[in-house]
Amino acid sequence: VNGADNLIANNFVEAEGVGIAKGISLQANGSGSEIVFNSINITGTDIANGIGLEVLGGNNYTVKNNIFANNGGGYASYFTDTIRGDFNYNNYYSTKQRLARIYNLDYSDFNNFQTVTGKEVNGFAKNPFYSSDSLLQMNQVLLNDVAETGTGINIDIEANSRGASPDFGALEYTPCAQDAGVNEFIGLVNPLSVGSQTVNIELQNQGTNVLTSAVIHWEVNGVAQPSFNWSGSLAYKENDKVAIGTYSFAGGESYKLIAWTESPNGSADCNTSNDAAKAFDMATPMCGIYTIGGTDPDFTNFTDAAIALNNAGITCPVVFEIRDGIYDEQIKLYEISGSSATNTITFRGENRDSSLLELHYATSNPSNDFTLAITGSDYISFEDMSVLRTNGINSILIQNESNYVRFERCRLGNVLSPNTSVDANLTFRSNNMEGFDLNLQHPDNSSAGEVIVENNDLRHL
């Protein structure tokens, strides 16, 4: 939206893919526009460029009765400036709790977001439980009959009357009678503590009948845990915190949890779209030597290892011994908690032969053109492995003030440290880069610290 005084109402917007995926973008000339009763679903996997609502400028907006959901793990909303306008009665949801980014600060707690912005007094941060990625019928009872009236939008996307008590989103919703579900896991935050923990969920009565019983099933990393038989009394729209069991989390592991309900009031569930909640990319801190790939590894692939590093960090030096093979993955490493000159991170080929081990991303992805991105990472090394790229340009992208990054005895494609970043203390030693570029740039008048380029094969074919 880059024109003034527009009306955007009653739309399903779904954006997917591996690159930029945005729902509604309000730009500098969009002042005075009204954004009401829209259902947004971002399923794109780029967590930095996947955004439900983006506000880049303009003022005097009216943004109400929308659902901004990011099921790809990115941001529900993104603001580059002060929030200017009437923002209220909206629902924000991200599978990785990225509810908002404002002034380069992330907000995962909705109460904090409300306090800082002074907006969304009547807003929510709940899973809308869309019927599918593209059929954006919400199935969340808490968003039923609570939208603001008086917007002038009296029908929904299918021309149904909105009535005196409209619902959030583009399509009206009618709850059924016997319906229960799990809204979310409560209290699970990264990094997970090592050892036994009580696992809590929010049980939601999604139906119009009073909920008196339900069976709650749950899994950790695909392994079923003992079911929990709940009994009590929850009226329409009520929910309750329920301890469903305990689990012992091991050190240096990544975890995916799912919990779902069955048999509300001993009957069949009349709507299964709102039964289950997931928590993923959870991890415990790492310390020591781990394996990647092959038979019975600590981590199946680079992606799982990166999840653990990015979300939980390290407490002592960490080494990944990587088994031979071709790993078709795209990896981004951020600033890793606990890394230091003492607590270093090393990825190295187990057989010390770079020709036997390839991290090789083959998907075309112009907005994220790399196989390995080192984004603010410090004290990290790569040894005896290949990092290559097809259907793109850059194999390695070093950015966001990464420091003490080392590649040794590796086979590498194009390497770029752009002049928009200040990356320092970079070492490239005894690598084979025949036919490719090593392009290390810096802004004018900035110091790169010590850069070592030594004994590499940099011949161009």
Side-chain angles (χ1 to χ4, degrees):
V1 181
N2 202 24
D5 303 319
N6 288 286
L7 172 64
I8 311 297
N10 284 340
N11 297 285
F12 285 169
V13 183
E14 189 250 343
E16 57 189 27
V18 296
I20 295 173
K22 298 180 181 180
I24 294 178
S25 178
L26 305 181
Q27 303 186 4
N29 298 317
S31 296
S33 293
E34 185 177 1
I35 315 298
V36 292
F37 290 115
N38 298 285
S39 297
I40 310 302
N41 190 30
I42 306 302
T43 60
T45 56
D46 182 343
I47 62 173
N49 291 304
I51 300 170
L53 170 69
E54 176 183 65
V55 183
L56 302 180
N59 54 66
N60 198 31
Y61 290 112
T62 297
V63 181
K64 292 186 175 183
N65 302 339
N66 303 283
I67 300 172
F68 302 114
N70 196 318
N71 281 289
Y75 293 104
S77 61
Y78 184 100
F79 303 88
T80 58
D81 203 343
T82 302
I83 303 176
R84 299 188 176 99
D86 190 0
F87 287 70
N88 201 3
Y89 292 92
N90 299 293
N91 184 70
Y92 300 82
Y93 174 72
S94 167
T95 52
K96 296 183 182 178
Q97 297 299 308
R98 292 180 171 91
L99 299 182
R101 185 172 178 84
I102 309 171
Y103 280 147
N104 295 319
L105 294 176
D106 289 352
Y107 293 86
S108 59
D109 181 85
F110 192 60
N111 290 331
N112 192 19
F113 171 74
Q114 290 172 310
T115 300
V116 168
T117 63
K119 307 291 184 181
E120 297 297 351
V121 174
N122 303 104
F124 289 84
K126 294 295 182 181
N127 189 338
F129 294 112
Y130 288 137
S131 295
S132 72
D133 286 347
S134 56
L135 176 56
L136 306 188
Q137 167 72 75
M138 68 88 171
N139 294 277
Q140 172 59 265
V141 71
L142 296 177
L143 306 181
N144 186 63
D145 293 339
V146 291
E148 188 175 53
T149 58
T151 62
I153 307 300
N154 299 317
I155 60 173
D156 68 6
I157 192 173
E158 293 184 352
N160 302 307
S161 173
R162 289 202 174 269
S165 300
D167 303 338
F168 279 32
L171 183 60
E172 288 288 297
Y173 172 65
T174 301
C176 55
Q178 306 282 9
D179 190 12
V182 178
N183 277 338
E184 61 184 330
F185 286 87
I186 298 175
L188 286 181
V189 294
N190 278 317
L192 292 171
S193 298
V194 176
S196 181
Q197 292 187 47
T198 299
V199 177
N200 298 291
I201 58 93
E202 183 177 83
L203 174 66
Q204 179 70 52
N205 181 8
Q206 295 279 5
T208 56
N209 286 354
V210 174
L211 182 67
T212 59
S213 66
V215 180
I216 304 172
H217 304 284
W218 59 298
E219 295 179 353
V220 180
N221 289 348
V223 178
Q225 306 300 310
S227 298
F228 182 82
N229 294 308
W230 175 87
S231 62
S233 180
L234 292 177
Y236 172 60
K237 287 194 174 184
E238 284 190 342
N239 51 55
D240 188 26
K241 178 181 176 180
V242 179
I244 58 175
T246 60
Y247 190 84
S248 183
F249 295 97
E253 297 282 350
S254 59
Y255 292 94
K256 300 176 184 178
L257 294 88
I258 181 172
W260 69 98
T261 56
E262 190 177 67
S263 302
N265 296 337
S267 304
D269 195 307
C270 57
N271 184 356
T272 58
S273 295
N274 53 23
D275 287 357
K278 298 177 181 179
F280 54 94
D281 287 4
M282 310 300 298
T284 50
M286 308 182 71
C287 178
I289 299 175
Y290 300 87
T291 55
I292 296 177
T295 302
D296 193 26
D298 295 304
F299 296 97
T300 303
N301 49 40
F302 281 86
T303 299
D304 288 345
I307 288 170
L309 282 174
N310 288 331
N311 290 287
I314 64 175
T315 57
C316 80
V318 168
V319 176
F320 295 99
E321 295 280 3
I322 311 160
R323 274 74 181 266
D324 296 345
I326 298 175
Y327 298 80
D328 186 3
E329 303 177 67
Q330 185 184 48
I331 304 302
K332 181 177 275 191
L333 297 170
Y334 296 94
E335 183 175 357
I336 296 165
S337 174
S339 66
S340 66
T342 302
N343 293 344
T344 59
I345 303 160
T346 303
F347 290 82
R348 68 187 180 203
E350 186 178 57
N351 287 322
R352 308 298 190 264
D353 186 342
S354 64
S355 69
L356 300 178
L357 165 61
E358 291 186 16
L359 177 61
H360 193 155
Y361 185 52
T363 301
S364 177
N365 187 355
S367 59
N368 291 280
D369 187 14
F370 57 82
T371 297
L372 170 65
I374 301 169
T375 305
S377 309
D378 301 323
Y379 300 100
I380 189 165
S381 298
F382 300 84
E383 302 174 357
D384 304 301
M385 58 182 289
S386 298
V387 185
L388 301 172
R389 176 88 167 101
T390 51
N391 295 311
I393 298 173
N394 297 314
S395 294
I396 298 168
L397 177 61
I398 305 173
Q399 59 186 353
N400 288 29
E401 300 185 21
S402 296
N403 297 288
Y404 298 97
V405 178
R406 178 174 63 91
F407 288 86
E408 194 157 348
R409 300 181 306 279
C410 292
R411 186 164 57 114
L412 307 176
N414 291 326
V415 178
L416 173 63
S417 172
N419 63 7
T420 56
S421 183
V422 183
D423 307 306
N425 301 95
L426 309 178
T427 298
F428 293 85
R429 181 180 289 117
S430 301
N431 300 295
N432 181 358
M433 294 188 64
E434 188 173 354
F436 296 101
D437 292 331
L438 178 61
N439 187 353
L440 309 179
Q441 304 179 28
H442 261 247
D444 291 341
N445 302 315
S446 66
S447 172
E450 184 178 59
V451 176
I452 299 173
V453 181
E454 182 177 58
N455 295 333
N456 301 281
D457 188 344
L458 298 169
R459 293 174 296 171
H460 269 255
L461 302 177

